[in-house]
């Protein structure tokens, strides 16, 4: 499916982008790996806090491979009734065999949780679900990608089967500067004196937050019939913080206040 996004759009460190490129090369050119005895990857585990680019990374992998991305609704997979979750898992992988897709489990810790010591029937059922999921994943020949910000809750057996574990972190100052400069919508006129570096240095934001702020600021500038400048960026940044329950003051904007 054509999405228009590429690896350069993924916010994050070079380490993550190199691993993403390796995944795509593995799946594009399996022969050069299997002939030296390497096993094709069963999946990848993307680890990091919300907003650090995990979902976009999966979209890039799918786009690079020309595959559909099948995002699993975990709320529809897990059932309180004994045996129903296993049935749902079996049905999912059976459908996936008929389709050329990448399976994507977001917030995977809720389904791929560690098996626990059996103290009651609930523990026994949960462990059976995990074992069943392991079996289906082992049988599946396609690509499975998991994303979580709670990697310690993922069962060790899943981690052993996954070749790629890719960390996604909040970008440092230098990375944020690159993002503020590169994610401005194309053909957006800029006001003289716009200080993108100030925003990069002052606000610790994820790549997705920076992109959202820049696009919102561009919309404000269009509505104001002005080039994009510091005032629109201030307004959009305040909106973004309010969205996450935080309030910025004039002092937070330093010399731009």
């Amino acid at each position: 499916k054509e999405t228009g996004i590429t690896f350069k759009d993924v916010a994050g460190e070079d380490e993550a982008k190199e691993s993403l490129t390796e995944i795509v090369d593995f799946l594009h050119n399996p022969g050069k790996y299997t002939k030296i005895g390497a096993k094709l990857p069963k999946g990848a585990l993307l680890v990091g806090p919300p907003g650090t680019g995990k979902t976009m990374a999966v979209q890039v992998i799918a786009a690079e491979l020309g595959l559909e991305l099948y995002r699993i609704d975990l709320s529809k997979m897990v059932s309180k009734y004994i045996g129903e979750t296993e049935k749902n898992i079996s049905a999912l992988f059976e459908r996936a065999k008929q389709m050329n897709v990448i399976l994507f489990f977001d917030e995977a810790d809720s389904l791929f949780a560690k098996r626990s010591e059996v103290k009651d029937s609930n523990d026994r059922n949960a462990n059976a679900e995990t074992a069943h999921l392991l079996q289906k994943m082992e049988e599946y020949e396609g690509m499975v990608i998991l994303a979580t910000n709670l990697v310690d809750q993922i069962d060790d057996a899943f981690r052993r089967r996954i070749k790629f574990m890719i960390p996604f972190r909040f970008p440092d100052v230098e990375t944020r500067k690159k993002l503020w400069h590169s994610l401005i919508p194309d053909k957006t006129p800029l006001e003289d004196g716009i200080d993108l570096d100030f925003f990069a240095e002052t606000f610790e934001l994820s790549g997705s937050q920076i992109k959202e702020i820049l696009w919102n600021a561009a919309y404000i500038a269009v509505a104001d019939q002005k080039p994009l400048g510091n005032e629109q960026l201030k307004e959009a940044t305040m909106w973004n913080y309010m969205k996450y329950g935080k309030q910025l003051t004039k002092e937070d904007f330093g010399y731009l206040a």
Side-chain angles (χ1 to χ4, degrees):
K1 186 176 182 179
E2 191 64 44
T3 64
I5 56 173
T6 65
F7 287 119
K8 69 181 179 60
D9 297 308
V10 178
E13 302 173 357
D14 290 340
E15 175 189 355
K17 294 180 183 181
E18 287 173 10
S19 295
L20 295 174
T21 304
E22 189 178 349
I23 290 172
V24 170
D25 189 51
F26 240 110
L27 298 175
H28 259 321
N29 307 290
K32 76 177 185 181
Y33 295 97
T34 54
K35 72 180 181 182
I36 60 171
K39 286 186 177 181
L40 292 178
K42 276 289 178 188
L45 177 59
L46 313 185
V47 180
T52 48
K54 299 189 298 298
T55 299
M56 183 180 283
V58 183
Q59 292 171 336
V60 170
I61 292 171
E64 291 283 331
L65 294 171
L67 298 176
E68 292 287 338
L69 180 62
Y70 193 76
R71 185 170 181 166
I72 312 306
D73 185 346
L74 295 180
S75 67
K76 294 180 180 177
M77 292 290 298
V78 180
S79 173
K80 64 181 179 180
Y81 298 107
I82 295 174
E84 284 299 311
T85 299
E86 289 96 320
K87 287 182 183 177
N88 293 338
I89 291 168
S90 293
L92 167 67
F93 280 94
E94 195 58 41
R95 285 199 304 274
K97 286 179 185 177
Q98 315 302 322
M99 306 158 65
N100 194 19
V101 297
I102 292 176
L103 291 179
F104 176 41
F105 294 85
D106 200 3
E107 299 181 2
D109 44 278
S110 63
L111 188 60
F112 292 77
K114 282 185 175 180
R115 283 167 288 187
S116 58
E117 181 183 348
V118 176
K119 297 179 181 176
D120 55 31
S121 60
N122 289 333
D123 293 335
R124 192 175 300 109
N125 293 334
N127 288 352
E129 290 167 3
T130 301
H132 185 72
L133 183 55
L134 272 166
Q135 178 192 340
K136 291 301 176 183
M137 210 174 141
E138 193 69 34
E139 294 170 356
Y140 185 59
E141 295 182 357
M143 185 71 175
V144 178
I145 300 181
L146 319 180
T148 184
N149 61 336
L150 300 170
V151 67
D152 290 340
Q153 294 187 21
I154 299 287
D155 192 275
D156 290 340
F158 289 113
R159 290 201 255 178
R160 285 195 297 272
R161 284 163 172 76
I162 288 172
K163 175 177 173 56
F164 297 95
M165 186 179 295
I166 307 174
F168 284 76
R169 306 179 182 93
F170 274 94
D172 60 18
V173 172
E174 290 307 311
T175 303
R176 292 201 301 269
K177 285 181 180 179
K178 291 177 185 176
L179 291 169
W180 277 98
H181 285 273
S182 66
L183 294 177
I184 295 173
D186 291 341
K187 300 180 182 178
T188 302
L190 303 181
E191 187 176 79
D192 290 341
I194 187 171
D195 193 350
L196 297 170
D197 286 353
F198 168 83
F199 287 90
E201 292 165 359
T202 306
F203 301 105
E204 294 185 13
L205 298 166
S206 69
S208 62
Q209 287 176 294
I210 293 169
K211 184 173 184 177
E212 182 180 347
I213 288 169
L214 284 166
W215 277 84
N216 284 338
Y219 292 144
I220 296 168
V222 169
D224 292 343
Q225 296 184 318
K226 293 179 179 179
L228 176 60
N230 294 321
E231 288 305 310
Q232 290 87 5
L233 289 175
K234 284 168 55 180
E235 186 175 346
T237 302
M238 290 178 73
W239 283 359
N240 188 272
Y241 270 76
M242 286 174 64
K243 180 177 173 181
Y244 296 97
K246 298 178 182 178
Q247 191 79 37
L248 294 177
T249 65
K250 286 185 177 180
E251 287 71 26
D252 290 312
F253 290 98
Y255 86 97
L256 295 179

